[in-house]
Amino acid sequence: MDYIIEVMPFMLSGLKTTLWVFAVTAIFSIPLGVVVCLMRLSKIRIISFLTKIYILIMRGTPLMLQITFIFFGLPIMGIVLNREIAAAIAFILNYAAYFAEIFRGGINSIDEGQFEAAKVLKLSKATTYFGIILPQVIKIVFPSVANELITLVKDTALVYVLGLGDILRAAKTLSNKDASLVPLIIAGGAYLIIIGILTFVLRKIEDKFEYYR
Amino acid sequence: MLKIENLNKSFGDNHVLKDVNLDINKGEIVMITGESGVGKTTLIRCLCGLEEYDAGKVLFLEDGEESQNKSIGLVSQSFDLFPHFNVMKNITYALIKVKKYKKEDAVKKAKELVDLLGLSGLEDYYQYQLSGGQKQRVAIARALAMEPQYLCFDEPTSALDYKLRDSVGEIIKTVASRGTGVIVITHDREFARKYANRVYELGA
């Protein structure tokens, strides 16, 4: 018990890193994912094509490589970023690609009749998207988005490649130093608690969409 | 009058609509019959702006002059109600968003249509809670709320059992009696004979 109290401050500072990487990525990658999705669906060929390439790269290479590249590779082109910003950018760009594809699947699953009904009723494009299509897409994609968010909590551990101390890195450091498994168990417990809370919150939000089928 | 002049439409090599000429007067019920694949649905999709046509004209005429009011409604075969809106919101949404009605005014107008179409008590229902006939009547109410000059029905009897066929026929008559020109696609020749002012055989 004394040991747990002793290592707590270090573990908590790691937890803070884990939580901010998660929060920043979740907040920015979802809206960016919507934009990327609309670009991917664009009728302008070049935009759709470039977006496809972007999605291919983001999903086709390891996130760890992307983080490393943005931090160590961009300075070669004269773009120098601090570790936190580099990590955040890599996570946001990566997750936006996944979210974009989830949203695309959602939009494609909406019956063409919904768009046509809206068109005959003379609803504007914006009203059609934001009033008719998007609410239905959100319901459809929500479970997949929730899944991604849960994966994201665990992916945050990858920031260690930039020397950022997340909770898993803190645990490993302590575990090596003190030859103890306790820090790893604490870290595991922390992940479980975060994901438990997240699952509960997401479930509550999902229930809100249950009013129609 | 809705005047269709020499309308042509092809999908690739398939020349679906060949020089279609048809007039629909306000208050009139015109039923369009024809074999499967002659382009009945394509024709009304062209009228409703859901399909571009290759040649010809669709004119909305008022005393022989082209009218600014090109309003036309559609009750599609699958009704396409908005599943995330209840019956009331399905009917009022476009009124509020497009015609800029105040919510109370839109609800008042919707209430009249709800009564007209026998949907009282279903205002708070969602489409998954409705029967096929009820969904159809909501789709009709939604279209009528926009006060279209013309209203198209795509196979209105196909999803209904025999008993309900006559009730939708009566609704169509009511719609026409309010001054709307009604264009109905149907396979059902008996239904056409019974309710149409005119039957147009497409592809004949």
Side-chain angles (χ1 to χ4, degrees):
Chain A
M1 198 64 206
D2 284 349
Y3 179 68
I4 293 175
I5 291 165
E6 188 194 318
V7 299
M8 230 6 139
F10 190 54
M11 296 290 291
L12 283 177
S13 82
L15 180 64
K16 231 170 76 186
T17 302
T18 298
L19 288 177
W20 81 250
V21 174
F22 169 76
V24 166
T25 307
I27 291 166
F28 290 101
S29 65
I30 292 178
L32 183 61
V34 174
V35 175
V36 173
C37 167
L38 293 177
M39 287 169 66
R40 170 71 179 76
L41 292 171
S42 168
K43 290 207 173 69
I44 305 166
R45 276 262 186 74
I46 183 77
I47 292 180
S48 163
F49 177 74
L50 291 176
T51 311
K52 256 191 232 176
I53 303 262
Y54 162 76
I55 292 171
L56 178 67
I57 292 171
M58 286 299 145
R59 297 201 307 172
T61 58
L63 175 54
M64 194 191 284
L65 186 149
Q66 294 162 17
I67 299 169
T68 315
F69 184 83
I70 285 177
F71 184 64
F72 295 104
L74 288 186
I76 299 169
M77 294 181 244
I79 305 166
V80 182
L81 301 165
N82 73 35
R83 293 162 206 278
E84 284 80 6
I85 303 279
I89 289 176
F91 268 87
I92 292 165
L93 291 179
N94 180 277
Y95 270 80
Y98 282 94
F99 284 129
E101 285 298 276
I102 291 173
F103 299 152
R104 188 169 68 91
I107 290 176
N108 283 342
S109 70
I110 301 287
D111 193 277
E112 192 58 30
Q114 293 288 304
F115 290 92
E116 297 188 347
K119 190 169 181 194
V120 176
L121 289 169
K122 304 249 178 346
L123 298 178
S124 68
K125 273 216 158 118
T127 307
T128 303
Y129 260 97
F130 291 106
I132 306 296
I133 306 304
L134 201 59
Q136 297 185 54
V137 171
I138 290 172
K139 179 184 166 87
I140 292 166
V141 302
F142 198 82
S144 310
V145 170
N147 217 5
E148 279 305 309
L149 288 175
I150 287 168
T151 306
L152 172 60
V153 174
K154 292 168 287 181
D155 270 0
T156 55
L158 288 171
V159 296
Y160 84 90
V161 293
L162 298 188
L164 292 173
D166 72 302
I167 189 163
L168 190 57
R169 184 166 188 248
K172 279 195 284 194
T173 307
L174 288 167
S175 174
N176 287 340
K177 180 167 73 84
D178 303 331
S180 162
L181 283 177
V182 173
L184 293 175
I185 293 168
I186 297 174
Y191 279 115
L192 272 178
I193 291 168
I194 297 169
I195 288 170
I197 294 169
L198 188 61
T199 304
F200 177 79
V201 172
L202 292 169
R203 178 80 236 176
K204 284 280 159 214
I205 299 173
E206 202 178 332
D207 286 346
K208 291 238 184 293
F209 298 119
E210 282 300 305
Y211 69 93
Y212 77 93
R213 269 175 249 156
Chain B
M1 183 168 71
L2 182 64
K3 194 171 185 61
I4 303 164
E5 272 183 5
N6 296 321
L7 199 73
N8 278 273
K9 169 74 188 173
S10 303
F11 293 103
D13 291 339
N14 186 8
H15 197 161
V16 188
L17 299 176
K18 281 183 205 133
D19 293 323
V20 175
N21 286 286
L22 179 63
D23 295 347
I24 299 109
N25 294 304
K26 285 191 196 165
E28 188 185 28
I29 303 171
V30 175
M31 299 241 183
I32 299 171
T33 58
E35 306 282 308
S36 290
V38 295
K40 300 189 294 293
T41 299
T42 304
L43 175 61
I44 59 169
R45 287 174 60 83
C46 287
L47 299 183
C48 294
L50 294 175
E51 206 81 68
E52 303 271 334
Y53 40 90
D54 305 328
K57 282 180 183 160
V58 175
L59 299 168
F60 291 76
L61 299 177
E62 196 80 58
D63 304 323
E65 306 266 323
E66 246 198 283
S67 166
Q68 290 305 307
N69 183 353
K70 296 182 195 306
S71 56
I72 187 160
L74 172 66
V75 178
S76 69
Q77 219 171 334
S78 46
F79 315 132
D80 301 318
L81 299 182
F82 303 131
H84 58 309
F85 292 164
N86 62 19
V87 167
M88 184 49 86
K89 198 164 177 191
N90 262 284
I91 302 171
T92 55
Y93 192 71
L95 277 177
I96 295 166
K97 293 289 178 184
V98 180
K99 296 213 159 176
K100 308 293 175 201
Y101 271 55
K102 285 205 199 90
K103 193 174 174 219
E104 313 85 75
D105 297 337
V107 168
K108 207 173 138 208
K109 190 177 176 84
K111 281 270 184 208
E112 288 166 22
L113 291 165
V114 161
D115 289 340
L116 179 75
L117 294 164
L119 292 165
S120 300
L122 300 175
E123 291 90 339
D124 298 330
Y125 282 48
Y126 289 85
Q127 83 152 8
Y128 77 95
Q129 298 164 305
L130 302 173
S131 71
Q134 289 167 339
K135 279 185 219 173
Q136 183 177 50
R137 280 178 281 146
V138 176
I140 296 170
R142 183 177 69 175
L144 286 179
M146 296 299 281
E147 295 180 351
Q149 295 184 296
Y150 304 94
L151 184 56
C152 301
F153 288 82
D154 192 356
E155 297 282 3
T157 57
S158 67
L160 303 178
D161 62 33
Y162 202 75
K163 225 171 46 196
L164 283 172
R165 247 181 32 169
D166 281 327
S167 84
V168 69
E170 292 304 324
I171 290 170
I172 287 170
K173 269 169 81 173
T174 308
V175 171
S177 72
R178 290 157 53 103
T180 308
V182 181
I183 303 134
V184 183
I185 289 177
T186 186
H187 272 107
D188 188 336
R189 283 171 206 281
E190 194 194 323
F191 180 77
R193 258 196 304 279
K194 193 163 172 188
Y195 292 101
N197 298 119
R198 232 164 359 117
V199 179
Y200 179 85
E201 175 86 20
L202 193 64

